[in-house]
Amino acid sequence: YDPQSKRVLEKVRRSPGVRLIITTDDHKFVLTKELRKEVGGYDIRLPGGKVFDTLDEYRAACNARENLLEKAEAAARKEAREEVGIEIEKLRYLTTSTCGATVEWDLYYFQVEKFVELEGQNLELGEDINVIKVHRDEVLQMCLDGRIGEDRSVAVLLRYFLIII
């Protein structure tokens, strides 16, 4: 509530997430094709997930002034094992995408520079995630034609293509 204007201001807070940019030795990008309720079907996306499982855990970490980047790195390693079936050996933080003034939902982006493949995924109950490996040019086309539907990840990927590669 803003007492001067007598308006109610909304604010939304969601636990932060992580996204992984993973490339293979043959220069393909590792993406996931994931069943997502919010899009009513499958969505192609960067692998990733939540940093905290509950908002209470997130609030406790914030109140304790814990290092959220360290928590995000741990979550990135966990999501890589579960969703993609890899053990990260070398990980590099790239950027954090923030939402807006009244929506607090940060996404931490990491580049997986070196990894070891494990014996398959370790998905959580109810997850339907398939790993796909796609050439750079196809990933770029997917960003442009909307097959990669998370717009924040599209922006980070496009910047990655322009700056990193």
Side-chain angles (χ1 to χ4, degrees), residues 8-151:
V8 174
L9 302 175
E10 297 178 324
K11 181 165 180 159
V12 176
R13 175 185 255 184
R14 181 178 176 187
S15 175
V18 295
R19 300 293 182 267
L20 302 170
I21 296 176
I22 307 167
T23 55
T24 64
D25 288 340
D26 59 351
H27 309 290
K28 291 186 178 175
F29 283 74
V30 177
L31 303 174
T32 57
K33 185 175 179 182
E34 183 173 343
L35 184 60
R36 301 294 298 189
K37 184 177 171 182
E38 70 272 13
V39 298
Y42 285 90
D43 186 31
I44 297 174
R45 48 199 303 121
L46 291 173
K50 296 183 279 185
V51 175
F52 301 94
D53 288 328
T54 68
L55 190 53
D56 287 337
E57 289 176 72
Y58 176 42
R59 284 185 183 129
C62 289
N63 290 338
R65 300 190 192 286
E66 292 183 29
N67 185 323
L68 295 182
L69 185 57
E70 287 178 6
K71 297 288 185 182
E73 182 176 328
R77 292 177 183 282
K78 175 183 170 279
E79 293 295 336
R81 283 189 301 274
E82 291 178 358
E83 286 192 4
V84 184
I86 63 170
E87 189 71 40
I88 296 174
E89 292 186 338
K90 188 173 181 187
L91 184 68
R92 184 167 67 101
Y93 168 74
L94 293 175
T95 190
T96 302
S97 170
T98 57
C99 251
T102 62
V103 177
E104 185 177 320
W105 179 37
D106 293 344
L107 289 178
Y108 293 85
Y109 287 82
F110 294 90
Q111 178 184 6
V112 176
E113 295 183 327
K114 189 175 179 186
F115 64 90
V116 174
E117 290 195 43
L118 303 172
E119 292 185 26
Q121 298 164 290
N122 186 19
L123 299 176
E124 293 179 11
L125 184 64
E127 286 186 316
D128 182 353
I129 302 173
N130 297 295
V131 176
I132 59 174
K133 296 176 182 177
V134 182
H135 188 271
R136 177 195 184 277
D137 293 340
E138 183 69 12
V139 174
L140 178 58
Q141 188 58 45
M142 294 168 128
C143 287
L144 298 175
D145 67 21
R147 284 181 282 164
I148 296 177
E150 187 175 61
D151 290 335

Side-chain angles (χ1 to χ4, degrees), residues 1-10:
Y1 175 73
D2 178 7
Q4 287 191 317
S5 67
K6 297 187 171 113
R7 294 184 300 167
V8 174
L9 302 175
E10 297 178 324

